[in-house]
């Protein structure tokens, strides 16, 4: 994944646990890159090892860390100069989740080594939708839960999330049943 992802993991861990803890986690992961370059691609293994080492060192399940990371990501990217791309995707929670594939296609024009997941919506009503998520990567459904929570905060929209189809349990792809209440 692009270094931007590892940079966000790093910033989150440093902010919540301090610089010394980050150094220990990086060493435990066997990652000796002095500094990640946001616009350079890295093997996925680097990210997975960092999350695994953080999970062990902090005694927190990897899924919890992935969820926290997902929640952090949207605000992080907005702050790091990708606010325009985010704004392009939509101005409401529903609009945004319906345009995630467009957003990734747009990013991929400039960064061709992007391997974006695919998101699509079915059963859209005034207050609910079913979000489908398909990825080349495994084990990241908890991150998607965090991403959705982050979007809910960004758009001031209360959301509920039910993981109704789980690829880790043999489903073809992950599905989330989402309820939402936009601001009055
Ligand atoms: F709900 O792969 C809200 O490297 C969501 O299954 C979900 O393959 C927002 F410059 C610049 C760059 C860089 C901008 F090239 C990425 F570095 C992308 C910014 C998306 C904002 C996907 C990151 C693929 C890297 C992937 C989980 C899970 C998608 C991470 C979240 C808005 C982004 O993101 C999986 C890669 C961006 C960029 C957004 C992603 C890769 C998402 C969301 N993905 C790189």
């Amino acid at each position: 994944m692009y270094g931007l992802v590892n940079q966000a993991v790093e910033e989150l861990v440093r902010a919540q646990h301090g610089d010394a803890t980050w150094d220990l986690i990086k060493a435990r992961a066997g990652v000796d890159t002095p500094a990640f370059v946001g616009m350079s691609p890295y093997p996925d293994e680097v990210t997975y090892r960092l999350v695994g080492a953080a999970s062990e060192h902090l005694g927190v399940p990897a899924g919890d860390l992935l969820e926290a990371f997902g929640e952090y990501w949207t605000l992080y990217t907005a702050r790091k100069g990708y606010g325009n791309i985010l704004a392009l995707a939509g101005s409401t929670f529903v609009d945004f989740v319906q345009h995630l594939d467009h957003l990734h296609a747009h990013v991929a024009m400039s960064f061709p080594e992007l391997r974006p997941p695919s998101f699509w919506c079915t059963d859209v009503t005034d207050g609910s939708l079913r979000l489908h998520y398909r990825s080349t990567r495994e084990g990241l459904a908890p991150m998607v839960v965090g991403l959705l929570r982050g979007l809910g905060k960004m758009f001031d929209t209360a959301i509920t999330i039910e993981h109704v189809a789980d690829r880790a349990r043999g489903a073809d792809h992950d599905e989330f049943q989402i309820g939402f209440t936009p601001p009055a």
Side-chain angles (χ1 to χ4, degrees):
M1 284 197 260
Y2 275 92
L4 189 66
V5 174
N6 299 325
Q7 286 177 328
V9 171
E10 174 172 354
E11 190 186 277
L12 176 61
V13 172
R14 281 190 196 276
Q16 293 193 345
H17 303 282
D19 296 338
T21 298
W22 173 250
D23 291 341
L24 289 169
I25 288 170
K26 229 171 100 177
R28 186 175 192 127
V31 172
D32 49 19
T33 317
F36 298 111
V37 179
M39 295 183 188
S40 295
Y42 293 82
D44 282 0
E45 202 200 339
V46 172
T47 311
Y48 281 97
R49 288 209 329 243
L50 288 171
V51 172
S55 168
E56 288 170 14
H57 184 79
L58 300 170
V60 175
D64 292 10
L65 296 177
L66 288 170
E67 192 174 324
F69 172 80
E71 197 164 332
Y72 198 69
W73 173 253
T74 310
L75 283 175
Y76 178 82
T77 51
R79 213 168 7 92
K80 293 295 171 181
Y82 299 103
N84 294 343
I85 293 170
L86 296 175
L88 217 68
S91 53
T92 66
F93 174 80
V94 177
D95 217 28
F96 195 97
V97 293
Q98 287 184 309
H99 292 106
L100 275 166
D101 283 7
H102 288 121
L103 183 157
H104 285 118
H106 189 84
V107 174
M109 285 194 288
S110 308
F111 302 102
E113 292 185 66
L114 199 77
R115 279 200 286 122
S118 182
F119 293 94
W120 69 99
C121 300
T122 62
D123 309 277
V124 182
T125 75
D126 283 352
S128 67
L129 59 81
R130 173 139 337 192
L131 181 71
H132 301 254
Y133 160 63
R134 188 189 294 285
S135 178
T136 60
R137 305 186 171 101
E138 281 183 39
L140 300 185
M143 187 191 290
V144 173
V145 171
L147 285 160
L148 296 168
R149 290 197 196 292
L151 288 180
K153 285 187 178 166
M154 186 162 86
F155 293 115
D156 195 20
T157 297
I159 60 168
T160 58
I161 306 168
E162 239 185 302
H163 193 185
V164 291
D166 189 344
R167 189 176 147 203
R169 293 165 177 269
D172 173 69
H173 61 274
D174 289 284
E175 298 182 29
F176 302 90
Q177 183 63 31
I178 299 174
F180 52 85
T181 315

